[in-house]
């Protein structure tokens, strides 16, 4: 890669046939001399009994923008992070998957950096007292002239039952996830157009614990009307609706480099990015 180059990495992993409830994460780790970037998404998978097919067979997709910021060769590897959630051992079938550079040349913001944001360490709770969270969120950012449209992605890792909370293990958490994209005037003080059409409501059982909620707004047209400038921001609004407490998960820390490894690393989770055209 060149110093200015940004690539679009997409890893797809399908898992099923777990013998008991099992955590399955799709982690992508990209490395180059002197640097790295990691991102992990996943959920708990129910045992493959056929009683809960929605939670027994899952495609877990991990995707992000890669920008080492120097001339180098980057190598990306997908890891299936799997752990039994019972005292006995478990097994799970990795039924399919792929890892690819969906694009080797994604255009950057005016400052030369990718149009993306990853939540830092820490989970943001949503519940009856704190009903709304606006994360992950790309701050107001200027892009070069000439962009026709933006393809905006917001991937949220949503956790059921906050750490340290008492939860009903037979319950679930229901939340609405809305991807909001704004274009601003030249000073970034006034919105000239906005879109919030991408919205889903999810009910997630306690035993699933955490799951990926992917959002996608394609073809957001860049307006050249008076009062509009090539200045944008985007975020996911998470609205807690009912049930158990929830949280939007930030960067994970203390992940072993491999099974039994003493060395550890961190991996981003909830994130938002833009692929312009």
């Amino acid at each position: 890669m060149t110093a200015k180059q940004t690539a679009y990495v997409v890893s797809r992993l399908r898992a099923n046939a777990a013998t008991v409830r099992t955590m399955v994460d799709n982690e992508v780790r990209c490395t180059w001399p002197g640097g790295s970037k990691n991102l992990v998404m996943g959920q708990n998978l129910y045992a493959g009994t056929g009683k809960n097919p929605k939670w027994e067979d899952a495609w877990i997709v991990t995707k992000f923008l890669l920008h080492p910021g120097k001339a180098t060769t980057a190598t990306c590897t997908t890891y299936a992070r799997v752990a039994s959630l019972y005292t006995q051992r478990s097994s799970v079938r990795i039924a399919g998957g792929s890892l690819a550079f969906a694009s080797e040349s994604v255009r950057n913001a005016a400052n030369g950096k990718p149009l993306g944001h990853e939540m830092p360490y820490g989970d943001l709770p949503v519940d009856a007292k704190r009903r709304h969270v606006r994360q992950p969120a790309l701050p107001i950012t200027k892009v070069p002239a000439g962009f026709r449209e933006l393809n905006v992605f917001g991937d949220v890792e949503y956790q059921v039952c906050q750490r340290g909370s008492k939860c009903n293990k037979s319950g679930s958490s229901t939340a609405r996830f809305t991807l909001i994209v704004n274009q601003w005037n030249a000073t970034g003080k006034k919105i000239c157009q906005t879109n919030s059409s991408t919205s889903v409501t999810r009910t997630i059982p306690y035993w699933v614990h955490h799951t990926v909620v992917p959002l996608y707004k394609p073809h957001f047209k860049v307006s050249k009307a008076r009062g509009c400038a090539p200045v944008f921001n985007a975020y996911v609004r998470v609205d807690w609706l009912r049930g158990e407490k929830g949280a939007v998960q930030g960067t994970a820390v203390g992940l072993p480099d491999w099974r039994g490894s003493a060395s550890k690393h961190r991996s981003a989770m909830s994130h938002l990015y833009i692929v312009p055209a």
Side-chain angles (χ1 to χ4, degrees):
M1 301 180 71
T2 67
K4 297 181 179 180
Q5 189 174 356
T6 294
Y8 178 19
V9 181
V10 178
S11 172
R12 304 173 72 247
L13 183 150
R14 183 185 180 188
N16 55 33
T19 51
V20 298
R21 189 168 54 92
T22 302
M23 182 197 78
V24 181
D25 289 344
N26 176 358
E27 182 177 33
V28 180
R29 297 170 62 189
C30 298
T31 61
W32 56 91
S36 64
K37 180 170 183 177
N38 311 317
L39 205 138
V40 61
M41 308 295 280
Q43 70 176 67
N44 291 350
L45 204 67
Y46 283 13
T49 63
K51 296 180 180 179
N52 297 281
K54 180 179 179 180
W55 304 113
E56 296 175 18
D57 189 332
W59 278 100
I60 302 170
V61 181
T62 300
K63 54 191 190 297
F64 57 93
L65 300 180
L66 177 66
H67 179 77
K70 65 178 184 178
T72 190
T73 297
T75 301
C76 297
T77 306
T78 289
Y79 296 86
R81 302 185 65 89
V82 181
S84 173
L85 298 172
Y86 289 82
T87 55
Q88 69 265 43
R89 291 185 176 184
S90 67
S91 65
V92 66
R93 178 171 60 201
I94 304 303
S98 61
L99 173 64
F101 291 108
S103 173
E104 295 183 4
S105 183
V106 176
R107 298 173 70 183
N108 294 320
N111 61 8
K113 297 181 179 180
L115 286 158
H117 172 80
E118 298 156 1
M119 273 183 57
Y121 172 72
D123 298 339
L124 298 177
V126 282
D127 51 35
K129 294 182 179 179
R130 298 155 290 193
R131 290 181 172 269
H132 315 291
V133 166
R134 289 181 170 88
Q135 280 288 348
L138 176 74
I140 295 175
T141 303
K142 184 178 181 180
V143 304
F147 284 10
R148 303 186 310 274
E149 61 184 33
L150 307 178
N151 299 296
V152 186
F153 301 80
D155 292 343
V156 177
E157 187 75 35
Y158 186 77
Q159 175 183 297
V160 180
C161 191
Q162 300 160 18
R163 292 182 177 89
S165 299
K166 292 183 178 180
C167 294
N168 176 10
K169 295 183 179 181
S170 299
S172 60
S173 180
T174 299
R176 180 173 57 247
F177 304 83
T178 305
L179 180 58
I180 297 173
V181 187
N182 298 316
Q183 184 174 1
W184 297 76
N185 65 359
T187 61
K189 300 295 184 182
K190 184 177 180 180
I191 293 174
C192 77
Q193 68 159 329
T194 187
N195 185 283
S196 59
S197 61
T198 301
S199 186
V200 298
T201 298
R202 291 284 183 87
T203 297
I204 302 160
Y206 170 84
W207 291 111
V208 171
H209 185 259
H210 61 289
T211 192
V212 185
V213 182
L215 302 168
Y216 175 39
K217 171 56 188 174
H219 311 307
F220 179 88
K221 301 297 182 182
V222 176
S223 175
K224 296 182 180 180
R226 184 177 181 180
C228 286
V231 179
F232 302 89
N233 82 311
Y235 61 91
V236 177
R237 176 176 167 134
V238 181
D239 299 300
W240 181 88
L241 300 179
R242 58 187 175 273
E244 301 305 304
K245 299 176 180 181
V248 178
Q249 293 190 271
T251 297
V253 301
L255 299 178
D257 287 350
W258 57 84
R259 187 181 300 276
S261 170
S263 56
K264 299 180 179 180
H265 63 275
R266 60 176 55 207
S267 264
M269 297 182 79
S270 300
H271 61 288
L272 185 148
Y273 62 95
I274 296 174
V275 178

